[in-house]
Amino acid sequence: MKHQRGRVEVICGSMFSGKSEELLRRVRRAEIARQTVQIFKPSLDNRYGVSSVNSHDGRAAEAVAIETPQDILKLLEDGTTVVAIDEAQFFDDSIVDICRRLADERGIRVIVAGLDLDFRGEPFGPMPALMAEAEQLDKLHAICVVCGDEASRSQRLINGKPASYDDPIILIGAQESYEARCRHCHEVPGRPD
Ligand code: ADP
Ligand code: ZN
């Protein structure tokens, strides 16, 4: 008898490493296999509702923006066999338990994408625990814009200069941007030794 068994897959890496692209590729292939997929992402501005997952190469799919991981259980529809979650680093630790329950109790294939490291190069939110929970873990790399090696870090720039370790997460009026860099080219002024 064919029995649907749940699992957790994590896709991690720096910005521009292709996490959203890979998430969307898996979603498309699941749909080709006639699976029913629901896509969720954190609503950073407290607005619920229709949103989208966009990759830097221009692909997109509709997603539901949610406030807390518990919303996934509330919004889960009968017949859904695949749950995809993008930007998982922004959720609190309860995302780990929700993913576990989806896989264990509901037999769902859970595909989670997120940044493994923040701009300081430190583990990002619930990602380490999600990576440990996963049966399948893929760590993707971008290209370092400074030296051309594989990039594993997200360089935060404020007005074109590397952001300091203690710079606030929200900076009103400043020009903020990010680029992919390798360990050696990643700069975090003021980082404790
Ligand atoms: P992520 O979700 O990890 O931020 P995306 O899937 O949105 O990544 O985008 C990946 C795409 O970004 C690549 O396929 C490429 O077209 C583009 N890109 C832009 N800058 C870089 C870079 N420095 N290294 C690799 N890809 C890059
Ligand atoms: Zn480099």
Side-chain angles (χ1 to χ4, degrees):
M1 198 160 68
K2 194 162 178 225
H3 175 67
Q4 161 99 12
R5 303 182 102 190
R7 69 197 307 259
V8 177
E9 300 167 22
V10 168
I11 304 162
C12 71
S14 67
M15 288 179 78
F16 304 104
S17 63
K19 300 180 301 298
S20 301
E21 249 169 52
E22 178 59 22
L23 184 85
L24 294 174
R25 190 182 82 94
R26 292 187 197 184
V27 164
R28 268 197 313 280
R29 290 169 60 86
E31 285 168 349
I32 290 168
R34 299 209 182 81
Q35 302 295 301
T36 304
V37 184
Q38 281 183 270
I39 311 178
F40 298 98
K41 60 184 281 189
S43 143
L44 299 175
D45 49 9
N46 297 332
R47 274 187 309 179
Y48 272 98
V50 179
S51 181
S52 64
V53 171
N54 301 299
S55 73
H56 290 110
D57 72 345
R59 293 184 184 274
E62 208 167 90
V64 180
I66 54 172
E67 217 163 319
T68 74
Q70 285 71 21
D71 294 335
I72 297 176
L73 295 180
K74 283 188 215 147
L75 296 168
L76 193 69
E77 289 164 9
D78 287 344
T80 292
T81 51
V82 178
V83 166
I85 304 165
D86 200 18
E87 307 277 12
Q89 74 275 359
F90 292 127
F91 285 120
D92 64 34
D93 283 342
S94 68
I95 187 71
V96 186
D97 193 51
I98 297 293
C99 290
R100 187 184 299 130
R101 287 175 61 185
L102 291 171
D104 284 354
E105 297 167 14
R106 314 269 189 131
I108 284 176
R109 175 183 173 202
V110 185
I111 311 169
V112 191
L115 291 166
D116 49 351
L117 298 175
D118 63 17
F119 78 92
R120 297 168 167 149
E122 295 178 344
F124 208 145
M127 291 305 291
L130 280 170
M131 290 157 75
E133 181 70 28
E135 274 90 356
Q136 183 184 334
L137 170 63
D138 290 281
K139 183 155 175 160
L140 307 183
H141 295 90
I143 301 299
C144 174
V145 299
V146 178
C147 76
D149 273 355
E150 294 215 321
S152 54
R153 305 286 193 276
S154 305
Q155 177 70 52
R156 183 183 186 207
L157 299 169
I158 295 168
N159 298 327
K161 295 205 190 75
S164 297
Y165 188 87
D166 290 322
D167 274 334
I169 295 300
I170 312 267
L171 273 171
I172 315 265
Q175 277 280 1
E176 200 191 7
S177 59
Y178 287 88
E179 58 189 32
R181 294 200 187 180
C182 73
R183 168 193 296 285
H184 304 288
C185 299
H186 188 237
E187 294 172 81
V188 187
R191 177 161 54 192
D193 294 328

